[in-house]
Amino acid sequence: MKIITTTKLITATLCMAALVGCQGGSNSGGSKSEGKKEGKVLAEVNSGTITTGDFERELKNLPEYLKAMADTPQGRKEMLDTIVIRELILQQASKDGLDKGPEIEEKLQDLRKRLIVESFLKKKVEADSKVSDEDLKKFYEQNKDKFKAGEQIKASHILVKTEAEAKDIAAKLKSGGNFEELAKKSSVDSSAAKGGDLGWFGKGSMVPAFEKAALALKEGQISDVVKSDFGFHIIKLTGKRAAGIRPLEEVKDQIKAAIMPTKQQEIFQKIKDELKKTAKISIKEDVLNTIGGNKEEPKADAKKPAEAAKPAAPEKK
């Protein structure tokens, strides 16, 4: 299953992102120099605390593709556990005296510069790199072949670890329970944040057991419990569409993602040109050439080839 098969990888990536930290929300070794922390205490770690404010700050700074994963019951547990581990590492590093020193200060200064540059560019580039409806339409008309697709279906699912859990949820659905709400509450898949929605997909995109059950459903119908290598699913078919070229409205986000990098690169180049235009810059090429291992080769002496071309003097007899 294309989306579901990535769950373990995304979880591992989520944990790594939380471990390294995205602006450091925890107490960083229980330092008392920090101001009052926001939110309720979520965890106590020796002398330090992790609050809901810390957690939400970490969540906010995660890449977009990881936010949905973190916003599930399992994802929240994984992320909090990793933040706790990071807090323990910070506390131990503080005890070992590894939180201070010239090397740390130097790296903090470098990090500060990078964050300032990143913030500046993000503000400038995002403000100017807008993709208009005309841009979208033009790209669509010129690249219609890229939007051909075979027969597709759209489905949502609830994924749980045990058959007993799945049967309990199935019973709630038969009693009138809301599928989307139950998915958000109980599903362990990253799609839980979207009510279990997996979007549109064609044949071969999902694991066989899931695909077979989904294709057998009528639009709006909910399956019985379906077992796969990932756990136990309850599937709801939410749409069907025939093969053909997808309409513009359905592929706008896809087109925007294709256009945006070029647009942003153009804006970035414009920013560089404008900054240089009003600046006084002097590049010391001779100094630049002394840096690194690949130093510039010295220019050949112009006289030597001429000397080499001279006829040899006749030998004295």
Side-chain angles (χ1 to χ4, degrees):
M1 185 179 297
K2 203 174 235 181
I3 295 174
I4 299 175
T5 48
T6 61
T7 300
K8 290 181 180 179
L9 177 60
I10 291 175
T11 302
T13 309
L14 172 64
C15 291
M16 183 59 70
L19 182 61
V20 174
C22 312
Q23 308 295 330
S26 62
N27 245 4
S28 301
S31 170
K32 295 180 181 179
S33 62
E34 293 187 14
K36 185 178 179 182
K37 304 190 81 183
E38 296 177 358
K40 297 179 181 177
V41 173
L42 194 57
E44 293 179 348
V45 187
N46 295 323
S47 59
T49 59
I50 298 166
T51 67
T52 52
D54 296 332
F55 189 90
E56 286 166 5
R57 192 157 47 250
E58 297 287 354
L59 182 61
K60 180 183 175 183
N61 286 289
L62 282 175
E64 286 299 324
Y65 73 99
L66 288 178
K67 285 182 181 176
M69 180 65 190
D71 198 25
T72 64
Q74 184 63 29
R76 285 192 289 273
K77 286 179 184 177
E78 296 275 4
M79 187 166 173
L80 179 58
D81 182 63
T82 312
I83 296 172
V84 167
I85 295 297
R86 191 182 70 193
E87 178 64 21
L88 289 170
I89 291 172
L90 288 169
Q91 290 180 10
Q92 188 60 50
S94 180
K95 288 178 185 177
D96 295 346
L98 297 176
D99 59 336
K100 299 178 181 67
E103 186 180 350
I104 294 292
E105 290 303 318
E106 186 180 336
K107 288 184 177 180
L108 284 173
Q109 286 298 320
D110 286 342
L111 179 59
R112 183 173 182 275
K113 290 176 185 177
R114 290 175 190 176
L115 289 173
I116 292 170
V117 170
E118 182 184 320
S119 178
F120 173 85
L121 289 175
K122 185 178 180 184
K123 184 178 179 180
K124 293 284 186 182
V125 171
E126 285 184 358
D128 295 337
S129 58
K130 305 294 183 186
V131 177
S132 67
D133 288 342
E134 190 59 36
D135 292 332
L136 295 172
K137 187 176 179 181
K138 183 180 178 181
F139 186 92
Y140 179 76
E141 292 298 332
Q142 292 176 347
N143 298 275
K144 278 191 173 180
D145 285 351
K146 296 181 186 294
F147 306 111
K148 285 181 179 178
E151 183 181 1
Q152 292 183 318
I153 61 173
K154 187 180 184 184
S156 297
H157 80 142
I158 300 171
L159 174 65
V160 291
K161 292 183 177 180
T162 68
E163 188 174 12
E165 286 178 276
K167 285 183 175 179
D168 181 57
I169 292 168
K172 289 177 181 176
L173 289 168
K174 286 178 181 177
S175 301
N178 182 279
F179 190 97
E180 289 72 23
E181 290 302 317
L182 286 168
K184 288 178 182 179
K185 182 180 177 182
S186 306
S187 183
V188 296
D189 185 54
S190 60
S191 64
K194 298 181 289 184
D197 182 22
L198 294 170
W200 292 96
F201 55 90
K203 289 183 179 180
S205 299
M206 303 294 181
V207 292
F210 184 99
E211 185 175 285
K212 184 179 178 182
L215 289 171
L217 296 172
K218 294 178 181 178
E219 194 168 336
Q221 188 179 3
I222 296 174
S223 73
D224 293 326
V225 175
V226 177
K227 183 182 179 183
S228 80
D229 293 340
F230 301 96
F232 296 85
H233 311 259
I234 300 169
I235 307 164
K236 180 179 180 181
L237 190 70
T238 55
K240 283 189 177 183
R241 62 188 182 191
I245 296 174
R246 302 276 71 86
L248 174 59
E249 284 301 315
E250 288 181 8
V251 294
K252 273 188 173 182
D253 289 343
Q254 187 179 338
I255 296 173
K256 189 175 180 180
I259 294 175
M260 190 58 79
T262 303
K263 202 92 169 174
Q264 289 178 338
Q265 186 59 40
E266 289 172 357
I267 299 300
F268 180 52
Q269 186 62 48
K270 185 181 175 183
I271 291 169
K272 290 197 298 181
D273 292 343
E274 287 178 353
L275 288 170
K276 285 183 175 182
K277 199 182 294 180
T278 56
K280 293 176 72 174
I281 303 169
S282 175
I283 304 295
K284 312 299 182 186
E285 295 284 351
D286 55 334
V287 178
L288 180 63
N289 292 332
T290 65
I291 299 173
N294 296 321
K295 308 228 176 13
E296 189 177 277
E297 291 292 330
K299 291 181 180 178
D301 190 337
K303 293 180 180 178
K304 287 184 179 178
E307 289 174 0
K310 288 180 182 178
E315 291 181 10
K316 291 182 180 180
K317 293 183 181 179

